[in-house]
Amino acid sequence: MKENIYALYNGTEYEAGIANDQEVVLRSDDPAVLNQGFILYKGIKYIKKVRRTELTDLYKKYYQAKYKNYPFVVTGDSDDKVLIIATNIDYKICEQLGMEMVDRGVYQKWVQKNEVELSITRKPI
């Protein structure tokens, strides 16, 4: 999944990183932001450092999925699949769902996006 910190700046949502108590770094893949004061950083991302007071909102996004009526955290995605993780579900259920144990008490599985009900929760920073 993408970085889960986002900022609303001039009506547009950007990936963000917290530089310090006063500043946030906005990130974009769109070269059109160059005319808005962004610069190309290391030939990879367009970035702009702004003051927190310039933002409309700053928040974290948490991605969840309901799969076979059980809640999971989403930690990865591709074009047509999401990676779901279980940490607080009975291991027998995880095994029945065909999940792979990747650590003690942690199960994961790639599932088709059309097999899950996806939701996003925002929490202010």
Side-chain angles (χ1 to χ4, degrees), residues 91-113:
Y91 78 95
K92 292 177 186 176
I93 293 169
C94 293
E95 289 176 353
Q96 288 172 355
L97 295 174
M99 301 184 79
E100 172 188 4
M101 186 170 67
V102 293
D103 200 355
R104 184 176 178 182
V106 179
Y107 291 81
Q108 72 179 25
K109 181 178 183 177
W110 283 97
V111 295
Q112 296 292 324
K113 285 182 179 176

PDB file of all heavy atoms in Angstrom, residues 91-113:
ATOM      1  N   TYR A  91      -6.602 -19.093  14.663  1.00  0.00           N
ATOM      2  CA  TYR A  91      -5.761 -19.695  13.623  1.00  0.00           C
ATOM      3  C   TYR A  91      -6.522 -20.719  12.792  1.00  0.00           C
ATOM      4  O   TYR A  91      -6.230 -20.911  11.612  1.00  0.00           O
ATOM      5  CB  TYR A  91      -4.494 -20.317  14.229  1.00  0.00           C
ATOM      6  CG  TYR A  91      -4.719 -21.661  14.891  1.00  0.00           C
ATOM      7  CD1 TYR A  91      -4.505 -22.839  14.184  1.00  0.00           C
ATOM      8  CD2 TYR A  91      -5.150 -21.753  16.206  1.00  0.00           C
ATOM      9  CE1 TYR A  91      -4.714 -24.077  14.775  1.00  0.00           C
ATOM     10  CE2 TYR A  91      -5.363 -22.980  16.806  1.00  0.00           C
ATOM     11  CZ  TYR A  91      -5.144 -24.140  16.088  1.00  0.00           C
ATOM     12  OH  TYR A  91      -5.356 -25.364  16.665  1.00  0.00           O
ATOM     13  N   LYS A  92      -7.517 -21.373  13.389  1.00  0.00           N
ATOM     14  CA  LYS A  92      -8.301 -22.364  12.649  1.00  0.00           C
ATOM     15  C   LYS A  92      -9.084 -21.697  11.519  1.00  0.00           C
ATOM     16  O   LYS A  92      -9.186 -22.242  10.423  1.00  0.00           O
ATOM     17  CB  LYS A  92      -9.252 -23.113  13.582  1.00  0.00           C
ATOM     18  CG  LYS A  92      -8.543 -24.018  14.558  1.00  0.00           C
ATOM     19  CD  LYS A  92      -9.517 -24.677  15.508  1.00  0.00           C
ATOM     20  CE  LYS A  92      -8.763 -25.467  16.559  1.00  0.00           C
ATOM     21  NZ  LYS A  92      -9.649 -26.048  17.561  1.00  0.00           N
ATOM     22  N   ILE A  93      -9.596 -20.507  11.791  1.00  0.00           N
ATOM     23  CA  ILE A  93     -10.316 -19.761  10.751  1.00  0.00           C
ATOM     24  C   ILE A  93      -9.347 -19.363   9.653  1.00  0.00           C
ATOM     25  O   ILE A  93      -9.655 -19.500   8.461  1.00  0.00           O
ATOM     26  CB  ILE A  93     -11.012 -18.525  11.358  1.00  0.00           C
ATOM     27  CG1 ILE A  93     -12.127 -18.971  12.306  1.00  0.00           C
ATOM     28  CG2 ILE A  93     -11.545 -17.605  10.269  1.00  0.00           C
ATOM     29  CD1 ILE A  93     -12.712 -17.867  13.154  1.00  0.00           C
ATOM     30  N   CYS A  94      -8.181 -18.895  10.027  1.00  0.00           N
ATOM     31  CA  CYS A  94      -7.170 -18.500   9.035  1.00  0.00           C
ATOM     32  C   CYS A  94      -6.798 -19.683   8.147  1.00  0.00           C
ATOM     33  O   CYS A  94      -6.686 -19.539   6.919  1.00  0.00           O
ATOM     34  CB  CYS A  94      -5.927 -17.940   9.723  1.00  0.00           C
ATOM     35  SG  CYS A  94      -6.224 -16.369  10.568  1.00  0.00           S
ATOM     36  N   GLU A  95      -6.617 -20.825   8.750  1.00  0.00           N
ATOM     37  CA  GLU A  95      -6.285 -22.021   7.971  1.00  0.00           C
ATOM     38  C   GLU A  95      -7.432 -22.416   7.056  1.00  0.00           C
ATOM     39  O   GLU A  95      -7.217 -22.786   5.898  1.00  0.00           O
ATOM     40  CB  GLU A  95      -5.890 -23.161   8.900  1.00  0.00           C
ATOM     41  CG  GLU A  95      -4.537 -22.940   9.548  1.00  0.00           C
ATOM     42  CD  GLU A  95      -4.148 -24.018  10.561  1.00  0.00           C
ATOM     43  OE1 GLU A  95      -4.999 -24.893  10.882  1.00  0.00           O
ATOM     44  OE2 GLU A  95      -3.002 -23.974  11.036  1.00  0.00           O
ATOM     45  N   GLN A  96      -8.670 -22.310   7.535  1.00  0.00           N
ATOM     46  CA  GLN A  96      -9.832 -22.621   6.700  1.00  0.00           C
ATOM     47  C   GLN A  96      -9.931 -21.678   5.501  1.00  0.00           C
ATOM     48  O   GLN A  96     -10.391 -22.070   4.438  1.00  0.00           O
ATOM     49  CB  GLN A  96     -11.131 -22.531   7.511  1.00  0.00           C
ATOM     50  CG  GLN A  96     -11.324 -23.640   8.498  1.00  0.00           C
ATOM     51  CD  GLN A  96     -12.532 -23.391   9.406  1.00  0.00           C
ATOM     52  OE1 GLN A  96     -13.169 -22.352   9.363  1.00  0.00           O
ATOM     53  NE2 GLN A  96     -12.833 -24.376  10.252  1.00  0.00           N
ATOM     54  N   LEU A  97      -9.475 -20.439   5.688  1.00  0.00           N
ATOM     55  CA  LEU A  97      -9.512 -19.446   4.612  1.00  0.00           C
ATOM     56  C   LEU A  97      -8.316 -19.568   3.676  1.00  0.00           C
ATOM     57  O   LEU A  97      -8.177 -18.784   2.735  1.00  0.00           O
ATOM     58  CB  LEU A  97      -9.576 -18.029   5.200  1.00  0.00           C
ATOM     59  CG  LEU A  97     -10.838 -17.685   5.987  1.00  0.00           C
ATOM     60  CD1 LEU A  97     -10.718 -16.323   6.641  1.00  0.00           C
ATOM     61  CD2 LEU A  97     -12.068 -17.752   5.096  1.00  0.00           C
ATOM     62  N   GLY A  98      -7.441 -20.517   3.937  1.00  0.00           N
ATOM     63  CA  GLY A  98      -6.285 -20.728   3.069  1.00  0.00           C
ATOM     64  C   GLY A  98      -5.173 -19.717   3.263  1.00  0.00           C
ATOM     65  O   GLY A  98      -4.366 -19.488   2.373  1.00  0.00           O
ATOM     66  N   MET A  99      -5.106 -19.138   4.448  1.00  0.00           N
ATOM     67  CA  MET A  99      -4.083 -18.136   4.735  1.00  0.00           C
ATOM     68  C   MET A  99      -2.781 -18.814   5.135  1.00  0.00           C
ATOM     69  O   MET A  99      -2.783 -19.918   5.680  1.00  0.00           O
ATOM     70  CB  MET A  99      -4.574 -17.180   5.820  1.00  0.00           C
ATOM     71  CG  MET A  99      -5.850 -16.459   5.439  1.00  0.00           C
ATOM     72  SD  MET A  99      -6.372 -15.252   6.653  1.00  0.00           S
ATOM     73  CE  MET A  99      -5.271 -13.891   6.233  1.00  0.00           C
ATOM     74  N   GLU A 100      -1.699 -18.122   4.862  1.00  0.00           N
ATOM     75  CA  GLU A 100      -0.359 -18.641   5.164  1.00  0.00           C
ATOM     76  C   GLU A 100       0.156 -17.991   6.445  1.00  0.00           C
ATOM     77  O   GLU A 100       0.068 -16.765   6.607  1.00  0.00           O
ATOM     78  CB  GLU A 100       0.578 -18.306   4.002  1.00  0.00           C
ATOM     79  CG  GLU A 100       2.017 -18.614   4.263  1.00  0.00           C
ATOM     80  CD  GLU A 100       2.932 -18.079   3.159  1.00  0.00           C
ATOM     81  OE1 GLU A 100       2.457 -17.410   2.241  1.00  0.00           O
ATOM     82  OE2 GLU A 100       4.133 -18.343   3.261  1.00  0.00           O
ATOM     83  N   MET A 101       0.698 -18.805   7.359  1.00  0.00           N
ATOM     84  CA  MET A 101       1.294 -18.252   8.564  1.00  0.00           C
ATOM     85  C   MET A 101       2.681 -17.713   8.202  1.00  0.00           C
ATOM     86  O   MET A 101       3.523 -18.439   7.690  1.00  0.00           O
ATOM     87  CB  MET A 101       1.426 -19.298   9.673  1.00  0.00           C
ATOM     88  CG  MET A 101       1.913 -18.685  10.970  1.00  0.00           C
ATOM     89  SD  MET A 101       1.845 -19.779  12.408  1.00  0.00           S
ATOM     90  CE  MET A 101       3.056 -20.990  11.974  1.00  0.00           C
ATOM     91  N   VAL A 102       2.899 -16.412   8.448  1.00  0.00           N
ATOM     92  CA  VAL A 102       4.171 -15.783   8.111  1.00  0.00           C
ATOM     93  C   VAL A 102       4.997 -15.447   9.347  1.00  0.00           C
ATOM     94  O   VAL A 102       6.173 -15.121   9.240  1.00  0.00           O
ATOM     95  CB  VAL A 102       3.968 -14.516   7.247  1.00  0.00           C
ATOM     96  CG1 VAL A 102       3.419 -14.890   5.888  1.00  0.00           C
ATOM     97  CG2 VAL A 102       3.064 -13.510   7.935  1.00  0.00           C
ATOM     98  N   ASP A 103       4.376 -15.530  10.495  1.00  0.00           N
ATOM     99  CA  ASP A 103       5.050 -15.325  11.771  1.00  0.00           C
ATOM    100  C   ASP A 103       4.111 -15.904  12.824  1.00  0.00           C
ATOM    101  O   ASP A 103       2.942 -16.172  12.540  1.00  0.00           O
ATOM    102  CB  ASP A 103       5.289 -13.834  12.022  1.00  0.00           C
ATOM    103  CG  ASP A 103       6.382 -13.565  13.055  1.00  0.00           C
ATOM    104  OD1 ASP A 103       6.899 -14.534  13.651  1.00  0.00           O
ATOM    105  OD2 ASP A 103       6.720 -12.390  13.269  1.00  0.00           O
ATOM    106  N   ARG A 104       4.593 -16.071  14.004  1.00  0.00           N
ATOM    107  CA  ARG A 104       3.755 -16.645  15.060  1.00  0.00           C
ATOM    108  C   ARG A 104       2.504 -15.772  15.251  1.00  0.00           C
ATOM    109  O   ARG A 104       2.591 -14.596  15.593  1.00  0.00           O
ATOM    110  CB  ARG A 104       4.545 -16.717  16.348  1.00  0.00           C
ATOM    111  CG  ARG A 104       3.794 -17.381  17.446  1.00  0.00           C
ATOM    112  CD  ARG A 104       4.651 -17.516  18.658  1.00  0.00           C
ATOM    113  NE  ARG A 104       3.877 -18.120  19.728  1.00  0.00           N
ATOM    114  CZ  ARG A 104       4.339 -18.331  20.923  1.00  0.00           C
ATOM    115  NH1 ARG A 104       5.574 -17.997  21.218  1.00  0.00           N
ATOM    116  NH2 ARG A 104       3.585 -18.879  21.829  1.00  0.00           N
ATOM    117  N   GLY A 105       1.335 -16.349  14.983  1.00  0.00           N
ATOM    118  CA  GLY A 105       0.072 -15.634  15.146  1.00  0.00           C
ATOM    119  C   GLY A 105      -0.276 -14.660  14.044  1.00  0.00           C
ATOM    120  O   GLY A 105      -1.248 -13.927  14.149  1.00  0.00           O
ATOM    121  N   VAL A 106       0.529 -14.623  12.978  1.00  0.00           N
ATOM    122  CA  VAL A 106       0.281 -13.687  11.874  1.00  0.00           C
ATOM    123  C   VAL A 106       0.060 -14.482  10.595  1.00  0.00           C
ATOM    124  O   VAL A 106       0.907 -15.273  10.187  1.00  0.00           O
ATOM    125  CB  VAL A 106       1.466 -12.709  11.682  1.00  0.00           C
ATOM    126  CG1 VAL A 106       1.203 -11.760  10.529  1.00  0.00           C
ATOM    127  CG2 VAL A 106       1.747 -11.942  12.969  1.00  0.00           C
ATOM    128  N   TYR A 107      -1.084 -14.248   9.970  1.00  0.00           N
ATOM    129  CA  TYR A 107      -1.454 -14.951   8.739  1.00  0.00           C
ATOM    130  C   TYR A 107      -1.710 -13.927   7.646  1.00  0.00           C
ATOM    131  O   TYR A 107      -2.179 -12.822   7.913  1.00  0.00           O
ATOM    132  CB  TYR A 107      -2.718 -15.781   8.961  1.00  0.00           C
ATOM    133  CG  TYR A 107      -2.492 -16.946   9.881  1.00  0.00           C
ATOM    134  CD1 TYR A 107      -2.484 -16.786  11.256  1.00  0.00           C
ATOM    135  CD2 TYR A 107      -2.285 -18.217   9.368  1.00  0.00           C
ATOM    136  CE1 TYR A 107      -2.270 -17.860  12.104  1.00  0.00           C
ATOM    137  CE2 TYR A 107      -2.067 -19.305  10.207  1.00  0.00           C
ATOM    138  CZ  TYR A 107      -2.057 -19.114  11.571  1.00  0.00           C
ATOM    139  OH  TYR A 107      -1.839 -20.188  12.407  1.00  0.00           O
ATOM    140  N   GLN A 108      -1.404 -14.319   6.403  1.00  0.00           N
ATOM    141  CA  GLN A 108      -1.652 -13.427   5.281  1.00  0.00           C
ATOM    142  C   GLN A 108      -2.116 -14.204   4.062  1.00  0.00           C
ATOM    143  O   GLN A 108      -1.909 -15.408   3.962  1.00  0.00           O
ATOM    144  CB  GLN A 108      -0.417 -12.610   4.930  1.00  0.00           C
ATOM    145  CG  GLN A 108       0.697 -13.401   4.266  1.00  0.00           C
ATOM    146  CD  GLN A 108       1.887 -12.528   3.911  1.00  0.00           C
ATOM    147  OE1 GLN A 108       2.110 -11.487   4.513  1.00  0.00           O
ATOM    148  NE2 GLN A 108       2.642 -12.955   2.938  1.00  0.00           N
ATOM    149  N   LYS A 109      -2.725 -13.463   3.147  1.00  0.00           N
ATOM    150  CA  LYS A 109      -3.190 -14.069   1.905  1.00  0.00           C
ATOM    151  C   LYS A 109      -3.465 -12.980   0.886  1.00  0.00           C
ATOM    152  O   LYS A 109      -4.020 -11.929   1.208  1.00  0.00           O
ATOM    153  CB  LYS A 109      -4.486 -14.859   2.152  1.00  0.00           C
ATOM    154  CG  LYS A 109      -5.037 -15.541   0.917  1.00  0.00           C
ATOM    155  CD  LYS A 109      -6.295 -16.330   1.248  1.00  0.00           C
ATOM    156  CE  LYS A 109      -6.790 -17.062   0.015  1.00  0.00           C
ATOM    157  NZ  LYS A 109      -7.969 -17.884   0.311  1.00  0.00           N
ATOM    158  N   TRP A 110      -3.063 -13.233  -0.369  1.00  0.00           N
ATOM    159  CA  TRP A 110      -3.440 -12.364  -1.481  1.00  0.00           C
ATOM    160  C   TRP A 110      -4.811 -12.811  -1.958  1.00  0.00           C
ATOM    161  O   TRP A 110      -5.023 -13.995  -2.210  1.00  0.00           O
ATOM    162  CB  TRP A 110      -2.444 -12.479  -2.630  1.00  0.00           C
ATOM    163  CG  TRP A 110      -1.169 -11.730  -2.391  1.00  0.00           C
ATOM    164  CD1 TRP A 110      -0.010 -12.244  -1.914  1.00  0.00           C
ATOM    165  CD2 TRP A 110      -0.937 -10.341  -2.612  1.00  0.00           C
ATOM    166  NE1 TRP A 110       0.936 -11.250  -1.826  1.00  0.00           N
ATOM    167  CE2 TRP A 110       0.391 -10.078  -2.255  1.00  0.00           C
ATOM    168  CE3 TRP A 110      -1.733  -9.287  -3.079  1.00  0.00           C
ATOM    169  CZ2 TRP A 110       0.954  -8.799  -2.350  1.00  0.00           C
ATOM    170  CZ3 TRP A 110      -1.170  -8.019  -3.181  1.00  0.00           C
ATOM    171  CH2 TRP A 110       0.154  -7.779  -2.819  1.00  0.00           C
ATOM    172  N   VAL A 111      -5.754 -11.878  -2.059  1.00  0.00           N
ATOM    173  CA  VAL A 111      -7.102 -12.195  -2.525  1.00  0.00           C
ATOM    174  C   VAL A 111      -7.508 -11.201  -3.611  1.00  0.00           C
ATOM    175  O   VAL A 111      -7.022 -10.065  -3.654  1.00  0.00           O
ATOM    176  CB  VAL A 111      -8.138 -12.182  -1.381  1.00  0.00           C
ATOM    177  CG1 VAL A 111      -7.847 -13.278  -0.368  1.00  0.00           C
ATOM    178  CG2 VAL A 111      -8.209 -10.834  -0.701  1.00  0.00           C
ATOM    179  N   GLN A 112      -8.398 -11.637  -4.473  1.00  0.00           N
ATOM    180  CA  GLN A 112      -8.922 -10.772  -5.528  1.00  0.00           C
ATOM    181  C   GLN A 112      -9.695  -9.611  -4.904  1.00  0.00           C
ATOM    182  O   GLN A 112     -10.433  -9.799  -3.933  1.00  0.00           O
ATOM    183  CB  GLN A 112      -9.845 -11.561  -6.470  1.00  0.00           C
ATOM    184  CG  GLN A 112      -9.166 -12.667  -7.236  1.00  0.00           C
ATOM    185  CD  GLN A 112      -8.186 -12.123  -8.263  1.00  0.00           C
ATOM    186  OE1 GLN A 112      -8.401 -11.098  -8.887  1.00  0.00           O
ATOM    187  NE2 GLN A 112      -7.072 -12.829  -8.408  1.00  0.00           N
ATOM    188  N   LYS A 113      -9.536  -8.429  -5.461  1.00  0.00           N
ATOM    189  CA  LYS A 113     -10.251  -7.263  -4.932  1.00  0.00           C
ATOM    190  C   LYS A 113     -11.766  -7.453  -4.983  1.00  0.00           C
ATOM    191  O   LYS A 113     -12.474  -6.961  -4.118  1.00  0.00           O
ATOM    192  CB  LYS A 113      -9.858  -6.001  -5.703  1.00  0.00           C
ATOM    193  CG  LYS A 113      -8.482  -5.498  -5.345  1.00  0.00           C
ATOM    194  CD  LYS A 113      -8.141  -4.232  -6.097  1.00  0.00           C
ATOM    195  CE  LYS A 113      -6.764  -3.738  -5.701  1.00  0.00           C
ATOM    196  NZ  LYS A 113      -6.346  -2.557  -6.465  1.00  0.00           N
TER     197      LYS A 113
END
